[in-house]
Amino acid sequence: MGFVEYEVKGAYAVITINRPEALNALNSGVLDELNSVLDSVDLNTVRCLVLTGAGEKSFVAGADIGEMSTLTKAEATAFGKKGNDVFRKLETLPIPVIAAVNGFALGGGCEIAMSCDIRICSDTAMFGQPETGLGITPGFGGTQRLARLIGPGMAKQLIYTARNIKSDEAFRIGLVNAVYPAADLMAEAEKMASVIAGNAPIAVRNCKKAINEGLDLDMDDAIVLEEKLFGDCFESWDQKEGMANFLRKKDDPAKVKHVTFKNE
Ligand code: CO8
């Protein structure tokens, strides 16, 4: 493993794309390693992930333009599928993923951030889909996820103009949830990961599933999906103890305690 670092920090873990000499651009090697790292996450112990880029300048500056430049149509389609498969694995991982965008998030970099559940960024971050300036379309899900996240009108404007935007504009249009001074970004991301990891893991997973899968359904079916995932929580120790703890607190405030959820 050289292009992707994986560090477990208790109940959450940090994945770092580590190719700073190319601003963490995604070549086949990076995508293969990221795929392996995602497969290796121990979902019994790790309850949330943070994804970031190595170095101070870039999160991910896109797919590797050198590698793409000589591809045939068939090879380009296959490369697009390779990236899409990894990004979809990230998006559908049972546990939440926070993108800590610490610099350039261009092309495939913006697309991988959009495959995460939550995006926060440094005040130095820059987002964009520069592909039409390179003679291609976004190919790792950008046309789909950007339109879903910020609406088709704004997504079309950004993609057709290939204009990069700074962190304040990314915040204003809802592409990121929060902007922090660069020096504080990782601490803030890890603080959020720790909070998420402290909540009932089965409930958090079911929320992710309900939101992700429900968005592709009409409201009648989406509500049925939520009912099922809600009901499933009632087979968990975490639900029984979480609610019992609340009731104990009501009886006697001295009994206040933090529930250490068991993921069972
Ligand atoms: N691919 C390959 N190498 C890159 C990339 C990239 N996307 N971005 C930066 N690098 C390399 C540079 O070539 C340079 O390498 P070297 O030192 O060997 O010359 C090194 O990183 C540092 O980059 P710069 O010297 O350019 O740094 P600057 O600070 O001057 O500029 C920028 C930083 C503005 C980020 C600039 O590097 C840049 O514009 N990069 C390209 C950004 C871009 O266009 N990204 C989108 C790529 S297309 C894409 O992601 C499509 C995804 C879907 C693919 C589907 C395939 C079918």
Side-chain angles (χ1 to χ4, degrees), residues 120-144:
I120 61 175
C121 75
S122 65
D123 51 8
T124 56
M126 185 172 280
F127 295 81
Q129 298 289 161
E131 286 90 346
T132 57
L134 295 164
I136 58 174
T137 68
F140 289 162
T143 56
Q144 303 310 306

Side-chain angles (χ1 to χ4, degrees), residues 146-191:
L146 193 61
R148 283 164 169 77
L149 259 178
I150 64 170
M154 187 59 83
K156 285 175 177 176
Q157 183 178 329
L158 287 179
I159 290 171
Y160 299 167
T161 62
R163 184 172 66 89
N164 294 338
I165 57 170
K166 293 183 180 168
S167 54
D168 54 346
E169 189 171 353
F171 177 68
R172 187 172 56 73
I173 64 174
L175 185 52
V176 296
N177 291 5
V179 182
Y180 296 103
D184 300 340
L185 177 66
M186 277 313 286
E188 292 292 343
E190 292 189 39
K191 191 160 56 171

Side-chain angles (χ1 to χ4, degrees), residues 174-254:
L175 185 52
V176 296
N177 291 5
V179 182
Y180 296 103
D184 300 340
L185 177 66
M186 277 313 286
E188 292 292 343
E190 292 189 39
K191 191 160 56 171
M192 190 189 292
S194 184
V195 169
I196 292 170
N199 285 329
I202 293 168
V204 171
R205 286 179 187 212
N206 284 10
C207 289
K208 173 167 178 168
K209 198 173 166 61
I211 294 169
N212 278 3
E213 294 182 15
L215 282 171
D216 292 330
L217 301 174
D218 67 38
M219 188 55 84
D220 289 323
D221 290 337
I223 286 300
V224 171
L225 174 67
E226 187 188 81
E227 285 164 7
K228 183 195 172 311
L229 291 163
F230 171 76
D232 287 350
C233 293
F234 286 76
E235 291 182 321
S236 69
W237 180 92
D238 288 345
Q239 174 272 327
K240 291 179 190 5
E241 181 55 25
M243 290 192 168
N245 182 57
F246 176 82
L247 295 174
R248 280 195 298 270
K249 283 192 299 194
K250 271 179 86 174
D251 286 350
D252 177 1

Side-chain angles (χ1 to χ4, degrees), residues 6-8 11-15 34-49 89-90 93-97 205:
Y6 181 62
E7 188 182 2
V8 177
Y12 67 90
V14 178
I15 297 177
L34 182 58
N35 192 44
S36 301
V37 165
L38 293 177
D39 284 341
S40 75
V41 174
D42 179 358
L43 295 170
N44 293 316
T45 54
V46 175
R47 298 177 179 182
C48 187
L49 292 174
K89 186 176 282 185
L90 185 65
L93 212 64
I95 58 174
V97 185
R205 286 179 187 212

